[in-house]
């Protein structure tokens, strides 16, 4: 609710596709989000909450030490990534499988870290492999504008309007088709970024039209 209570931030959520968002019933979905700012968890959580969707966030374990922010991750039962500790990473992935099999959604930033340039970075394969293995839905989602809400270079926040787009579920064609699924999700995320900007009153602000996420 930090997005709703912050007078300097505003947001809008676009549902793009025939049946966007996590399907109800059955296994949970993995929701894939781009990552450009420290504000991304706030805006992605708010976008999901507005449509009554919940998800366990995958986050780096060092955030546990951040007052309030880190405590919320722990209380919510989110999934911590212990970088450099293969045993704990395997345990986290096993826990994610359990959550998905139990019907809970998992929210992932597949780039693994914030993009310093705004250009989409290569996706880490782990959760695409899990989607393919379990046959669970992969939900593409994209945010534009969070890099202005909380720039990568420091702790200073700023005024920003953020657009979030959430698309239809995508399924792997086979248990070993993780790479294909990753490419499909990446392509759909880029398409949605164009769609939500072009749909905003028919005009794209010049600052966003030149966005490196869109132009590469």
């Amino acid at each position: 609710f930090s997005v709703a209570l912050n007078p300097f931030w505003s947001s809008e959520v676009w549902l793009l596709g025939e049946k966007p968002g996590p399907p109800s019933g059955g296994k949970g979905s993995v929701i894939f989000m781009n990552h450009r700012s420290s504000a991304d968890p706030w805006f992605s959580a708010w976008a999901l909450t507005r449509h009554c969707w919940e998800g366990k966030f995958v986050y780096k374990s060092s955030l546990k030490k951040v007052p309030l922010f880190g405590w919320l991750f722990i209380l919510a039962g989110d999934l911590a990534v212990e970088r450099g500790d293969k045993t704990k990473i395997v345990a986290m992935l096993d826990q994610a499988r359990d959550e998905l099999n139990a019907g809970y959604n998992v929210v992932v930033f597949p780039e693994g870290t914030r993009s310093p340039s705004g250009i989409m970075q290569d996706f880490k394969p782990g959760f695409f492999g899990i989607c393919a293995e379990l046959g669970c839905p992969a939900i593409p989602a994209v945010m534009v504008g969070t890099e202005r809400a909380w720039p990568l270079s420091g702790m200073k926040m700023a005024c920003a309007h953020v657009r979030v787009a959430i698309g239809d579920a995508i399924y792997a064609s086979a248990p070993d088709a993780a790479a294909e699924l990753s490419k499909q999700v990446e392509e759909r995320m880029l398409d949605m970024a164009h769609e939500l900007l072009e749909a905003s009153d028919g005009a794209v602000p010049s600052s966003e039209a030149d966005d490196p996420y869109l132009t590469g």
Side-chain angles (χ1 to χ4, degrees), residues 61-106:
S61 60
S62 59
L63 292 176
K64 292 180 182 179
K65 301 176 183 178
V66 179
L68 185 60
F69 186 60
W71 304 337
L72 291 175
F73 278 128
I74 296 171
L75 290 172
D78 292 324
L79 309 174
V81 177
E82 298 277 355
R83 289 182 177 174
D85 191 323
K86 186 176 180 179
T87 300
K88 290 184 178 180
I89 291 174
V90 170
M92 181 276 294
L93 293 174
D94 286 341
Q95 183 183 352
R97 289 184 179 90
D98 291 341
E99 298 284 0
L100 290 164
N101 280 322
Y104 294 102
N105 303 316
V106 175

Side-chain angles (χ1 to χ4, degrees), residues 118-155:
I119 298 173
M120 183 87 80
Q121 302 176 100
D122 291 339
F123 286 175
K124 302 294 188 290
F127 278 90
F128 294 102
I130 289 176
C131 282
E133 171 194 335
L134 300 181
C136 62
I139 310 298
V142 65
M143 296 176 286
V144 175
T146 59
E147 72 285 351
R148 292 188 293 277
W150 193 342
L152 181 62
S153 57
M155 295 297 295

Side-chain angles (χ1 to χ4, degrees), residues 169-188:
I170 301 174
Y171 293 86
S173 59
D176 59 353
E180 176 189 16
L181 179 63
S182 175
K183 183 178 180 181
Q184 290 177 311
V185 169
E186 181 178 0
E187 290 175 349
R188 183 59 185 136

Side-chain angles (χ1 to χ4, degrees), residues 16 140-142 165-167 188-197:
L16 302 179
V142 65
I166 300 171
R188 183 59 185 136
M189 288 170 69
L190 183 58
D191 288 344
M192 290 196 306
H194 284 282
E195 286 182 49
L196 68 87
L197 292 176

